[in-house]
Structure formats: C-alpha cells, structure tokens
PDB file of all heavy atoms in Angstrom:
ATOM      1  N   ILE A   1      -8.902   2.091 -11.087  1.00  0.00           N
ATOM      2  CA  ILE A   1      -8.682   2.651  -9.633  1.00  0.00           C
ATOM      3  C   ILE A   1      -9.188   1.500  -8.689  1.00  0.00           C
ATOM      4  O   ILE A   1     -10.290   1.057  -8.816  1.00  0.00           O
ATOM      5  CB  ILE A   1      -9.568   3.911  -9.435  1.00  0.00           C
ATOM      6  CG1 ILE A   1      -9.019   5.054 -10.197  1.00  0.00           C
ATOM      7  CG2 ILE A   1      -9.544   4.251  -7.916  1.00  0.00           C
ATOM      8  CD1 ILE A   1      -9.729   6.362 -10.053  1.00  0.00           C
ATOM      9  N   LEU A   2      -8.208   0.990  -7.915  1.00  0.00           N
ATOM     10  CA  LEU A   2      -8.483  -0.011  -6.917  1.00  0.00           C
ATOM     11  C   LEU A   2      -8.884   0.738  -5.634  1.00  0.00           C
ATOM     12  O   LEU A   2      -8.126   1.291  -4.957  1.00  0.00           O
ATOM     13  CB  LEU A   2      -7.283  -0.795  -6.629  1.00  0.00           C
ATOM     14  CG  LEU A   2      -7.365  -1.892  -5.583  1.00  0.00           C
ATOM     15  CD1 LEU A   2      -8.588  -2.826  -5.834  1.00  0.00           C
ATOM     16  CD2 LEU A   2      -6.104  -2.733  -5.384  1.00  0.00           C
ATOM     17  N   ASN A   3     -10.242   0.668  -5.403  1.00  0.00           N
ATOM     18  CA  ASN A   3     -10.749   1.321  -4.129  1.00  0.00           C
ATOM     19  C   ASN A   3     -10.633   0.291  -3.038  1.00  0.00           C
ATOM     20  O   ASN A   3     -11.482  -0.636  -2.943  1.00  0.00           O
ATOM     21  CB  ASN A   3     -12.199   1.731  -4.338  1.00  0.00           C
ATOM     22  CG  ASN A   3     -12.922   2.176  -3.149  1.00  0.00           C
ATOM     23  OD1 ASN A   3     -12.241   2.759  -2.285  1.00  0.00           O
ATOM     24  ND2 ASN A   3     -14.178   1.985  -2.963  1.00  0.00           N
ATOM     25  N   ASP A   4      -9.743   0.505  -2.247  1.00  0.00           N
ATOM     26  CA  ASP A   4      -9.326  -0.535  -1.215  1.00  0.00           C
ATOM     27  C   ASP A   4      -9.865  -0.065   0.195  1.00  0.00           C
ATOM     28  O   ASP A   4      -9.279   0.821   0.815  1.00  0.00           O
ATOM     29  CB  ASP A   4      -7.825  -0.708  -1.163  1.00  0.00           C
ATOM     30  CG  ASP A   4      -7.347  -1.775  -0.238  1.00  0.00           C
ATOM     31  OD1 ASP A   4      -8.189  -2.327   0.472  1.00  0.00           O
ATOM     32  OD2 ASP A   4      -6.060  -2.004  -0.127  1.00  0.00           O
ATOM     33  N   ASN A   5     -10.985  -0.629   0.566  1.00  0.00           N
ATOM     34  CA  ASN A   5     -11.517  -0.354   1.917  1.00  0.00           C
ATOM     35  C   ASN A   5     -11.548  -1.626   2.723  1.00  0.00           C
ATOM     36  O   ASN A   5     -12.171  -1.578   3.833  1.00  0.00           O
ATOM     37  CB  ASN A   5     -12.898   0.267   1.818  1.00  0.00           C
ATOM     38  CG  ASN A   5     -13.894  -0.673   1.077  1.00  0.00           C
ATOM     39  OD1 ASN A   5     -13.753  -1.823   1.076  1.00  0.00           O
ATOM     40  ND2 ASN A   5     -14.931   0.009   0.471  1.00  0.00           N
ATOM     41  N   ASP A   6     -10.876  -2.647   2.322  1.00  0.00           N
ATOM     42  CA  ASP A   6     -10.768  -3.883   3.087  1.00  0.00           C
ATOM     43  C   ASP A   6     -12.195  -4.570   3.327  1.00  0.00           C
ATOM     44  O   ASP A   6     -12.464  -5.237   4.273  1.00  0.00           O
ATOM     45  CB  ASP A   6     -10.184  -3.658   4.534  1.00  0.00           C
ATOM     46  CG  ASP A   6      -9.531  -4.996   4.907  1.00  0.00           C
ATOM     47  OD1 ASP A   6      -9.179  -5.902   4.131  1.00  0.00           O
ATOM     48  OD2 ASP A   6      -9.457  -5.192   6.173  1.00  0.00           O
ATOM     49  N   MET A   7     -13.164  -4.174   2.423  1.00  0.00           N
ATOM     50  CA  MET A   7     -14.565  -4.637   2.493  1.00  0.00           C
ATOM     51  C   MET A   7     -15.046  -4.837   1.193  1.00  0.00           C
ATOM     52  O   MET A   7     -14.788  -4.217   0.242  1.00  0.00           O
ATOM     53  CB  MET A   7     -15.316  -3.660   3.301  1.00  0.00           C
ATOM     54  CG  MET A   7     -15.099  -3.449   4.759  1.00  0.00           C
ATOM     55  SD  MET A   7     -15.500  -4.839   5.744  1.00  0.00           S
ATOM     56  CE  MET A   7     -17.315  -4.903   5.401  1.00  0.00           C
ATOM     57  N   SER A   8     -15.911  -5.911   1.048  1.00  0.00           N
ATOM     58  CA  SER A   8     -16.835  -5.991   0.001  1.00  0.00           C
ATOM     59  C   SER A   8     -18.179  -5.742   0.631  1.00  0.00           C
ATOM     60  O   SER A   8     -18.541  -4.689   1.095  1.00  0.00           O
ATOM     61  CB  SER A   8     -16.797  -7.248  -0.775  1.00  0.00           C
ATOM     62  OG  SER A   8     -16.793  -8.438   0.027  1.00  0.00           O
ATOM     63  N   ILE A   9     -19.126  -6.728   0.630  1.00  0.00           N
ATOM     64  CA  ILE A   9     -20.280  -6.721   1.453  1.00  0.00           C
ATOM     65  C   ILE A   9     -19.991  -7.404   2.770  1.00  0.00           C
ATOM     66  O   ILE A   9     -20.046  -6.881   3.854  1.00  0.00           O
ATOM     67  CB  ILE A   9     -21.464  -7.392   0.761  1.00  0.00           C
ATOM     68  CG1 ILE A   9     -21.869  -6.627  -0.494  1.00  0.00           C
ATOM     69  CG2 ILE A   9     -22.703  -7.443   1.683  1.00  0.00           C
ATOM     70  CD1 ILE A   9     -22.913  -7.231  -1.347  1.00  0.00           C
ATOM     71  N   SER A  10     -19.509  -8.621   2.657  1.00  0.00           N
ATOM     72  CA  SER A  10     -18.892  -9.318   3.867  1.00  0.00           C
ATOM     73  C   SER A  10     -17.444  -8.915   3.912  1.00  0.00           C
ATOM     74  O   SER A  10     -16.840  -8.256   3.065  1.00  0.00           O
ATOM     75  CB  SER A  10     -19.048 -10.776   3.726  1.00  0.00           C
ATOM     76  OG  SER A  10     -20.462 -11.186   3.705  1.00  0.00           O
ATOM     77  N   GLU A  11     -16.823  -9.318   4.935  1.00  0.00           N
ATOM     78  CA  GLU A  11     -15.351  -8.999   5.071  1.00  0.00           C
ATOM     79  C   GLU A  11     -14.653  -9.849   3.996  1.00  0.00           C
ATOM     80  O   GLU A  11     -14.994 -10.986   3.616  1.00  0.00           O
ATOM     81  CB  GLU A  11     -14.884  -9.544   6.397  1.00  0.00           C
ATOM     82  CG  GLU A  11     -15.399  -8.801   7.517  1.00  0.00           C
ATOM     83  CD  GLU A  11     -14.998  -9.380   8.849  1.00  0.00           C
ATOM     84  OE1 GLU A  11     -14.177 -10.323   8.940  1.00  0.00           O
ATOM     85  OE2 GLU A  11     -15.468  -8.994   9.965  1.00  0.00           O
ATOM     86  N   ASN A  12     -13.621  -9.082   3.359  1.00  0.00           N
ATOM     87  CA  ASN A  12     -12.917  -9.779   2.295  1.00  0.00           C
ATOM     88  C   ASN A  12     -12.064 -10.973   2.780  1.00  0.00           C
ATOM     89  O   ASN A  12     -11.574 -10.908   3.843  1.00  0.00           O
ATOM     90  CB  ASN A  12     -12.057  -8.801   1.526  1.00  0.00           C
ATOM     91  CG  ASN A  12     -12.840  -7.943   0.586  1.00  0.00           C
ATOM     92  OD1 ASN A  12     -13.866  -8.319   0.087  1.00  0.00           O
ATOM     93  ND2 ASN A  12     -12.502  -6.652   0.403  1.00  0.00           N
ATOM     94  N   VAL A  13     -11.754 -11.829   1.923  1.00  0.00           N
ATOM     95  CA  VAL A  13     -10.868 -13.004   2.262  1.00  0.00           C
ATOM     96  C   VAL A  13      -9.830 -13.135   1.081  1.00  0.00           C
ATOM     97  O   VAL A  13      -9.975 -12.598   0.017  1.00  0.00           O
ATOM     98  CB  VAL A  13     -11.626 -14.308   2.453  1.00  0.00           C
ATOM     99  CG1 VAL A  13     -12.627 -14.229   3.501  1.00  0.00           C
ATOM    100  CG2 VAL A  13     -12.425 -14.619   1.115  1.00  0.00           C
ATOM    101  N   GLY A  14      -8.729 -13.779   1.441  1.00  0.00           N
ATOM    102  CA  GLY A  14      -7.724 -14.059   0.406  1.00  0.00           C
ATOM    103  C   GLY A  14      -6.433 -13.421   0.575  1.00  0.00           C
ATOM    104  O   GLY A  14      -6.389 -12.363   1.170  1.00  0.00           O
ATOM    105  N   GLY A  15      -5.424 -14.016   0.141  1.00  0.00           N
ATOM    106  CA  GLY A  15      -4.045 -13.476   0.336  1.00  0.00           C
ATOM    107  C   GLY A  15      -3.904 -12.185  -0.363  1.00  0.00           C
ATOM    108  O   GLY A  15      -3.257 -11.247   0.187  1.00  0.00           O
ATOM    109  N   LEU A  16      -4.348 -11.990  -1.578  1.00  0.00           N
ATOM    110  CA  LEU A  16      -4.212 -10.728  -2.298  1.00  0.00           C
ATOM    111  C   LEU A  16      -4.825  -9.556  -1.514  1.00  0.00           C
ATOM    112  O   LEU A  16      -4.198  -8.579  -1.350  1.00  0.00           O
ATOM    113  CB  LEU A  16      -4.907 -10.840  -3.647  1.00  0.00           C
ATOM    114  CG  LEU A  16      -5.029  -9.507  -4.363  1.00  0.00           C
ATOM    115  CD1 LEU A  16      -3.547  -9.015  -4.818  1.00  0.00           C
ATOM    116  CD2 LEU A  16      -5.822  -9.701  -5.736  1.00  0.00           C
ATOM    117  N   ASN A  17      -6.032  -9.756  -0.968  1.00  0.00           N
ATOM    118  CA  ASN A  17      -6.700  -8.674  -0.275  1.00  0.00           C
ATOM    119  C   ASN A  17      -5.880  -8.338   0.974  1.00  0.00           C
ATOM    120  O   ASN A  17      -5.734  -7.184   1.301  1.00  0.00           O
ATOM    121  CB  ASN A  17      -8.092  -9.148   0.139  1.00  0.00           C
ATOM    122  CG  ASN A  17      -8.749  -8.181   1.137  1.00  0.00           C
ATOM    123  OD1 ASN A  17      -8.692  -8.471   2.308  1.00  0.00           O
ATOM    124  ND2 ASN A  17      -9.186  -7.083   0.618  1.00  0.00           N
ATOM    125  N   ARG A  18      -5.379  -9.397   1.684  1.00  0.00           N
ATOM    126  CA  ARG A  18      -4.639  -9.056   2.906  1.00  0.00           C
ATOM    127  C   ARG A  18      -3.365  -8.191   2.665  1.00  0.00           C
ATOM    128  O   ARG A  18      -3.036  -7.288   3.294  1.00  0.00           O
ATOM    129  CB  ARG A  18      -4.238 -10.442   3.643  1.00  0.00           C
ATOM    130  CG  ARG A  18      -5.351 -11.056   4.328  1.00  0.00           C
ATOM    131  CD  ARG A  18      -4.871 -12.115   5.314  1.00  0.00           C
ATOM    132  NE  ARG A  18      -4.127 -13.142   4.569  1.00  0.00           N
ATOM    133  CZ  ARG A  18      -4.661 -14.264   4.090  1.00  0.00           C
ATOM    134  NH1 ARG A  18      -5.961 -14.394   4.156  1.00  0.00           N
ATOM    135  NH2 ARG A  18      -3.939 -15.193   3.409  1.00  0.00           N
ATOM    136  N   HIS A  19      -2.679  -8.602   1.540  1.00  0.00           N
ATOM    137  CA  HIS A  19      -1.509  -7.760   1.275  1.00  0.00           C
ATOM    138  C   HIS A  19      -1.822  -6.369   0.773  1.00  0.00           C
ATOM    139  O   HIS A  19      -1.161  -5.373   1.175  1.00  0.00           O
ATOM    140  CB  HIS A  19      -0.749  -8.525   0.096  1.00  0.00           C
ATOM    141  CG  HIS A  19       0.092  -9.630   0.595  1.00  0.00           C
ATOM    142  ND1 HIS A  19       1.145  -9.490   1.415  1.00  0.00           N
ATOM    143  CD2 HIS A  19      -0.110 -10.980   0.368  1.00  0.00           C
ATOM    144  CE1 HIS A  19       1.544 -10.731   1.707  1.00  0.00           C
ATOM    145  NE2 HIS A  19       0.801 -11.595   1.080  1.00  0.00           N
ATOM    146  N   LEU A  20      -2.853  -6.335  -0.031  1.00  0.00           N
ATOM    147  CA  LEU A  20      -3.320  -4.886  -0.527  1.00  0.00           C
ATOM    148  C   LEU A  20      -3.663  -3.965   0.558  1.00  0.00           C
ATOM    149  O   LEU A  20      -3.253  -2.897   0.648  1.00  0.00           O
ATOM    150  CB  LEU A  20      -4.486  -5.032  -1.536  1.00  0.00           C
ATOM    151  CG  LEU A  20      -4.232  -5.562  -2.941  1.00  0.00           C
ATOM    152  CD1 LEU A  20      -5.528  -5.737  -3.650  1.00  0.00           C
ATOM    153  CD2 LEU A  20      -3.232  -4.684  -3.601  1.00  0.00           C
ATOM    154  N   ALA A  21      -4.363  -4.539   1.504  1.00  0.00           N
ATOM    155  CA  ALA A  21      -4.996  -3.702   2.535  1.00  0.00           C
ATOM    156  C   ALA A  21      -3.838  -3.458   3.655  1.00  0.00           C
ATOM    157  O   ALA A  21      -3.922  -2.369   4.309  1.00  0.00           O
ATOM    158  CB  ALA A  21      -6.146  -4.327   3.199  1.00  0.00           C
ATOM    159  N   LYS A  22      -3.012  -4.304   3.962  1.00  0.00           N
ATOM    160  CA  LYS A  22      -2.064  -4.123   5.044  1.00  0.00           C
ATOM    161  C   LYS A  22      -0.709  -3.733   4.649  1.00  0.00           C
ATOM    162  O   LYS A  22      -0.160  -2.841   5.172  1.00  0.00           O
ATOM    163  CB  LYS A  22      -2.021  -5.452   5.790  1.00  0.00           C
ATOM    164  CG  LYS A  22      -3.404  -5.829   6.488  1.00  0.00           C
ATOM    165  CD  LYS A  22      -3.446  -7.177   7.238  1.00  0.00           C
ATOM    166  CE  LYS A  22      -4.751  -7.466   7.805  1.00  0.00           C
ATOM    167  NZ  LYS A  22      -4.828  -8.726   8.511  1.00  0.00           N
ATOM    168  N   ILE A  23      -0.091  -4.501   3.748  1.00  0.00           N
ATOM    169  CA  ILE A  23       1.373  -4.235   3.432  1.00  0.00           C
ATOM    170  C   ILE A  23       1.454  -2.937   2.633  1.00  0.00           C
ATOM    171  O   ILE A  23       2.204  -2.034   2.952  1.00  0.00           O
ATOM    172  CB  ILE A  23       2.029  -5.305   2.645  1.00  0.00           C
ATOM    173  CG1 ILE A  23       1.928  -6.562   3.565  1.00  0.00           C
ATOM    174  CG2 ILE A  23       3.377  -5.065   2.249  1.00  0.00           C
ATOM    175  CD1 ILE A  23       2.484  -7.819   2.811  1.00  0.00           C
ATOM    176  N   LEU A  24       0.645  -2.791   1.593  1.00  0.00           N
ATOM    177  CA  LEU A  24       0.729  -1.581   0.721  1.00  0.00           C
ATOM    178  C   LEU A  24       0.320  -0.290   1.452  1.00  0.00           C
ATOM    179  O   LEU A  24       0.865   0.778   1.139  1.00  0.00           O
ATOM    180  CB  LEU A  24      -0.117  -1.733  -0.531  1.00  0.00           C
ATOM    181  CG  LEU A  24       0.478  -2.671  -1.557  1.00  0.00           C
ATOM    182  CD1 LEU A  24      -0.519  -2.759  -2.735  1.00  0.00           C
ATOM    183  CD2 LEU A  24       1.821  -2.146  -2.070  1.00  0.00           C
ATOM    184  N   ALA A  25      -0.498  -0.471   2.430  1.00  0.00           N
ATOM    185  CA  ALA A  25      -0.946   0.684   3.239  1.00  0.00           C
ATOM    186  C   ALA A  25       0.004   0.945   4.411  1.00  0.00           C
ATOM    187  O   ALA A  25      -0.236   1.914   5.190  1.00  0.00           O
ATOM    188  CB  ALA A  25      -2.372   0.469   3.734  1.00  0.00           C
ATOM    189  N   SER A  26       0.922   0.109   4.613  1.00  0.00           N
ATOM    190  CA  SER A  26       1.826   0.249   5.842  1.00  0.00           C
ATOM    191  C   SER A  26       2.651   1.529   5.635  1.00  0.00           C
ATOM    192  O   SER A  26       3.044   1.934   4.624  1.00  0.00           O
ATOM    193  CB  SER A  26       2.717  -0.903   5.900  1.00  0.00           C
ATOM    194  OG  SER A  26       3.665  -0.941   4.892  1.00  0.00           O
ATOM    195  N   GLN A  27       2.877   2.059   6.804  1.00  0.00           N
ATOM    196  CA  GLN A  27       3.716   3.257   6.966  1.00  0.00           C
ATOM    197  C   GLN A  27       5.066   3.052   6.432  1.00  0.00           C
ATOM    198  O   GLN A  27       5.722   3.953   5.785  1.00  0.00           O
ATOM    199  CB  GLN A  27       3.661   3.881   8.280  1.00  0.00           C
ATOM    200  CG  GLN A  27       4.333   5.277   8.471  1.00  0.00           C
ATOM    201  CD  GLN A  27       3.353   6.256   7.674  1.00  0.00           C
ATOM    202  OE1 GLN A  27       2.160   6.217   7.828  1.00  0.00           O
ATOM    203  NE2 GLN A  27       3.957   7.134   6.916  1.00  0.00           N
ATOM    204  N   THR A  28       5.654   1.925   6.678  1.00  0.00           N
ATOM    205  CA  THR A  28       7.044   1.650   6.277  1.00  0.00           C
ATOM    206  C   THR A  28       7.120   1.682   4.742  1.00  0.00           C
ATOM    207  O   THR A  28       8.043   2.350   4.259  1.00  0.00           O
ATOM    208  CB  THR A  28       7.475   0.197   6.738  1.00  0.00           C
ATOM    209  OG1 THR A  28       7.307   0.156   8.155  1.00  0.00           O
ATOM    210  CG2 THR A  28       8.871  -0.120   6.394  1.00  0.00           C
ATOM    211  N   TYR A  29       6.268   1.057   4.049  1.00  0.00           N
ATOM    212  CA  TYR A  29       6.333   1.048   2.546  1.00  0.00           C
ATOM    213  C   TYR A  29       6.024   2.481   2.051  1.00  0.00           C
ATOM    214  O   TYR A  29       6.706   2.888   1.142  1.00  0.00           O
ATOM    215  CB  TYR A  29       5.374   0.021   2.025  1.00  0.00           C
ATOM    216  CG  TYR A  29       5.476  -0.046   0.537  1.00  0.00           C
ATOM    217  CD1 TYR A  29       6.535  -0.330  -0.187  1.00  0.00           C
ATOM    218  CD2 TYR A  29       4.237   0.381  -0.209  1.00  0.00           C
ATOM    219  CE1 TYR A  29       6.512  -0.344  -1.587  1.00  0.00           C
ATOM    220  CE2 TYR A  29       4.244   0.323  -1.598  1.00  0.00           C
ATOM    221  CZ  TYR A  29       5.469  -0.005  -2.260  1.00  0.00           C
ATOM    222  OH  TYR A  29       5.501   0.028  -3.618  1.00  0.00           O
ATOM    223  N   THR A  30       4.992   3.133   2.619  1.00  0.00           N
ATOM    224  CA  THR A  30       4.694   4.467   2.122  1.00  0.00           C
ATOM    225  C   THR A  30       5.907   5.393   2.298  1.00  0.00           C
ATOM    226  O   THR A  30       6.198   6.179   1.376  1.00  0.00           O
ATOM    227  CB  THR A  30       3.534   4.956   2.898  1.00  0.00           C
ATOM    228  OG1 THR A  30       2.388   4.044   2.695  1.00  0.00           O
ATOM    229  CG2 THR A  30       3.089   6.302   2.329  1.00  0.00           C
ATOM    230  N   ASN A  31       6.444   5.333   3.454  1.00  0.00           N
ATOM    231  CA  ASN A  31       7.653   6.204   3.677  1.00  0.00           C
ATOM    232  C   ASN A  31       8.771   5.922   2.787  1.00  0.00           C
ATOM    233  O   ASN A  31       9.435   6.806   2.239  1.00  0.00           O
ATOM    234  CB  ASN A  31       8.209   6.082   5.175  1.00  0.00           C
ATOM    235  CG  ASN A  31       7.194   6.649   6.140  1.00  0.00           C
ATOM    236  OD1 ASN A  31       6.370   7.438   5.784  1.00  0.00           O
ATOM    237  ND2 ASN A  31       7.376   6.294   7.407  1.00  0.00           N
ATOM    238  N   PHE A  32       8.931   4.643   2.434  1.00  0.00           N
ATOM    239  CA  PHE A  32      10.049   4.322   1.452  1.00  0.00           C
ATOM    240  C   PHE A  32       9.795   4.871   0.174  1.00  0.00           C
ATOM    241  O   PHE A  32      10.743   5.450  -0.500  1.00  0.00           O
ATOM    242  CB  PHE A  32      10.099   2.782   1.352  1.00  0.00           C
ATOM    243  CG  PHE A  32      11.185   2.271   0.424  1.00  0.00           C
ATOM    244  CD1 PHE A  32      12.483   2.219   0.671  1.00  0.00           C
ATOM    245  CD2 PHE A  32      10.742   1.988  -0.865  1.00  0.00           C
ATOM    246  CE1 PHE A  32      13.468   1.802  -0.273  1.00  0.00           C
ATOM    247  CE2 PHE A  32      11.641   1.576  -1.891  1.00  0.00           C
ATOM    248  CZ  PHE A  32      13.106   1.518  -1.496  1.00  0.00           C
ATOM    249  N   ARG A  33       8.608   4.784  -0.337  1.00  0.00           N
ATOM    250  CA  ARG A  33       8.324   5.307  -1.611  1.00  0.00           C
ATOM    251  C   ARG A  33       8.510   6.871  -1.691  1.00  0.00           C
ATOM    252  O   ARG A  33       8.971   7.354  -2.630  1.00  0.00           O
ATOM    253  CB  ARG A  33       6.851   4.938  -2.016  1.00  0.00           C
ATOM    254  CG  ARG A  33       6.720   3.566  -2.497  1.00  0.00           C
ATOM    255  CD  ARG A  33       5.224   3.356  -3.146  1.00  0.00           C
ATOM    256  NE  ARG A  33       5.094   4.115  -4.390  1.00  0.00           N
ATOM    257  CZ  ARG A  33       5.240   3.654  -5.536  1.00  0.00           C
ATOM    258  NH1 ARG A  33       5.738   2.467  -5.808  1.00  0.00           N
ATOM    259  NH2 ARG A  33       5.104   4.475  -6.601  1.00  0.00           N
ATOM    260  N   GLU A  34       7.988   7.471  -0.606  1.00  0.00           N
ATOM    261  CA  GLU A  34       8.047   8.962  -0.502  1.00  0.00           C
ATOM    262  C   GLU A  34       9.463   9.393  -0.559  1.00  0.00           C
ATOM    263  O   GLU A  34       9.983  10.374  -1.206  1.00  0.00           O
ATOM    264  CB  GLU A  34       7.347   9.514   0.580  1.00  0.00           C
ATOM    265  CG  GLU A  34       5.788   9.315   0.517  1.00  0.00           C
ATOM    266  CD  GLU A  34       5.275   9.916  -0.777  1.00  0.00           C
ATOM    267  OE1 GLU A  34       5.620  11.083  -1.142  1.00  0.00           O
ATOM    268  OE2 GLU A  34       4.476   9.270  -1.536  1.00  0.00           O
ATOM    269  N   ASN A  35      10.374   8.741   0.312  1.00  0.00           N
ATOM    270  CA  ASN A  35      11.729   9.091   0.412  1.00  0.00           C
ATOM    271  C   ASN A  35      12.480   8.849  -0.913  1.00  0.00           C
ATOM    272  O   ASN A  35      13.345   9.589  -1.343  1.00  0.00           O
ATOM    273  CB  ASN A  35      12.380   8.333   1.547  1.00  0.00           C
ATOM    274  CG  ASN A  35      11.929   8.856   2.913  1.00  0.00           C
ATOM    275  OD1 ASN A  35      11.450   9.960   3.050  1.00  0.00           O
ATOM    276  ND2 ASN A  35      11.944   7.947   3.909  1.00  0.00           N
ATOM    277  N   SER A  36      11.992   7.831  -1.616  1.00  0.00           N
ATOM    278  CA  SER A  36      12.676   7.386  -2.804  1.00  0.00           C
ATOM    279  C   SER A  36      12.365   8.441  -3.841  1.00  0.00           C
ATOM    280  O   SER A  36      13.262   8.927  -4.583  1.00  0.00           O
ATOM    281  CB  SER A  36      12.167   6.075  -3.423  1.00  0.00           C
ATOM    282  OG  SER A  36      12.526   5.029  -2.484  1.00  0.00           O
ATOM    283  N   LYS A  37      11.144   8.904  -3.917  1.00  0.00           N
ATOM    284  CA  LYS A  37      10.758  10.011  -4.936  1.00  0.00           C
ATOM    285  C   LYS A  37      11.597  11.288  -4.762  1.00  0.00           C
ATOM    286  O   LYS A  37      11.964  11.869  -5.663  1.00  0.00           O
ATOM    287  CB  LYS A  37       9.338  10.339  -4.771  1.00  0.00           C
ATOM    288  CG  LYS A  37       8.367   9.202  -5.294  1.00  0.00           C
ATOM    289  CD  LYS A  37       6.939   9.528  -5.061  1.00  0.00           C
ATOM    290  CE  LYS A  37       6.051   8.411  -5.495  1.00  0.00           C
ATOM    291  NZ  LYS A  37       4.710   8.652  -5.242  1.00  0.00           N
ATOM    292  N   LYS A  38      11.809  11.595  -3.423  1.00  0.00           N
ATOM    293  CA  LYS A  38      12.573  12.840  -3.147  1.00  0.00           C
ATOM    294  C   LYS A  38      14.016  12.644  -3.653  1.00  0.00           C
ATOM    295  O   LYS A  38      14.704  13.596  -4.154  1.00  0.00           O
ATOM    296  CB  LYS A  38      12.545  13.117  -1.654  1.00  0.00           C
ATOM    297  CG  LYS A  38      11.190  13.555  -1.139  1.00  0.00           C
ATOM    298  CD  LYS A  38      11.169  13.735   0.293  1.00  0.00           C
ATOM    299  CE  LYS A  38       9.759  14.081   0.941  1.00  0.00           C
ATOM    300  NZ  LYS A  38       9.738  14.207   2.361  1.00  0.00           N
ATOM    301  N   MET A  39      14.550  11.486  -3.399  1.00  0.00           N
ATOM    302  CA  MET A  39      15.955  11.299  -3.756  1.00  0.00           C
ATOM    303  C   MET A  39      16.229  11.030  -5.276  1.00  0.00           C
ATOM    304  O   MET A  39      17.344  11.191  -5.839  1.00  0.00           O
ATOM    305  CB  MET A  39      16.545  10.025  -2.973  1.00  0.00           C
ATOM    306  CG  MET A  39      16.527  10.322  -1.458  1.00  0.00           C
ATOM    307  SD  MET A  39      17.180   8.865  -0.538  1.00  0.00           S
ATOM    308  CE  MET A  39      18.927   8.964  -1.052  1.00  0.00           C
ATOM    309  N   LEU A  40      15.125  10.669  -6.014  1.00  0.00           N
ATOM    310  CA  LEU A  40      15.279  10.332  -7.377  1.00  0.00           C
ATOM    311  C   LEU A  40      15.663  11.642  -8.201  1.00  0.00           C
ATOM    312  O   LEU A  40      16.096  11.457  -9.363  1.00  0.00           O
ATOM    313  CB  LEU A  40      13.927   9.811  -7.999  1.00  0.00           C
ATOM    314  CG  LEU A  40      13.731   8.337  -7.568  1.00  0.00           C
ATOM    315  CD1 LEU A  40      12.346   7.873  -8.107  1.00  0.00           C
ATOM    316  CD2 LEU A  40      14.765   7.370  -8.109  1.00  0.00           C
ATOM    317  N   SER A  41      15.501  12.807  -7.575  1.00  0.00           N
ATOM    318  CA  SER A  41      15.808  13.971  -8.373  1.00  0.00           C
ATOM    319  C   SER A  41      17.326  14.213  -8.307  1.00  0.00           C
ATOM    320  O   SER A  41      17.819  15.154  -8.916  1.00  0.00           O
ATOM    321  CB  SER A  41      15.118  15.176  -7.796  1.00  0.00           C
ATOM    322  OG  SER A  41      15.423  15.295  -6.426  1.00  0.00           O
ATOM    323  N   GLY A  42      18.055  13.397  -7.587  1.00  0.00           N
ATOM    324  CA  GLY A  42      19.543  13.510  -7.408  1.00  0.00           C
ATOM    325  C   GLY A  42      20.247  12.832  -8.478  1.00  0.00           C
ATOM    326  O   GLY A  42      19.905  12.893  -9.621  1.00  0.00           O
ATOM    327  N   PHE A  43      21.480  12.329  -8.125  1.00  0.00           N
ATOM    328  CA  PHE A  43      22.447  11.852  -9.137  1.00  0.00           C
ATOM    329  C   PHE A  43      21.854  10.535  -9.692  1.00  0.00           C
ATOM    330  O   PHE A  43      21.127   9.699  -9.115  1.00  0.00           O
ATOM    331  CB  PHE A  43      23.716  11.533  -8.396  1.00  0.00           C
ATOM    332  CG  PHE A  43      24.450  12.747  -7.842  1.00  0.00           C
ATOM    333  CD1 PHE A  43      24.384  13.012  -6.541  1.00  0.00           C
ATOM    334  CD2 PHE A  43      25.024  13.728  -8.646  1.00  0.00           C
ATOM    335  CE1 PHE A  43      24.938  14.163  -5.997  1.00  0.00           C
ATOM    336  CE2 PHE A  43      25.609  14.800  -8.193  1.00  0.00           C
ATOM    337  CZ  PHE A  43      25.521  15.074  -6.806  1.00  0.00           C
TER     338      PHE A  43
END
C-alpha cells in the first residue's frame, strides 16, 4: 500500500513523487478510470 500524502518528514522531492501525488490523483485521470470500468462491462 502506497500511502501518498505528499510528505515524508520534510517535503518530498523527486519526479516520481510529483507524478504520484499530482497526476495520479488528478480528477481527469480518476474520471477516466471510473468511466472505463463502467464501460468494460459492455461489448
């Protein structure tokens, strides 16, 4: 389980952290995944 709070003790640094915290948590990507799951039950 990746507990992503965008923090360690100090502020996190690094490209991986920025993507994990910002892109994966973005509403656009979340909506895409949710809509995909709903449509996957189709043809």
Side-chain angles (χ1 to χ4, degrees):
I1 295 179
L2 174 57
N3 174 33
D4 185 358
N5 58 26
D6 202 27
M7 290 289 299
S8 52
I9 295 175
S10 298
E11 295 174 7
N12 284 327
V13 296
L16 172 63
N17 170 261
R18 286 196 298 271
H19 284 295
L20 284 175
K22 295 178 181 177
I23 297 176
L24 284 177
S26 69
Q27 193 61 48
T28 301
Y29 179 64
T30 303
N31 289 343
F32 175 83
R33 281 190 67 95
E34 292 305 313
N35 291 335
S36 298
K37 289 175 182 176
K38 293 176 182 177
M39 296 180 68
L40 284 176
S41 59
F43 299 103

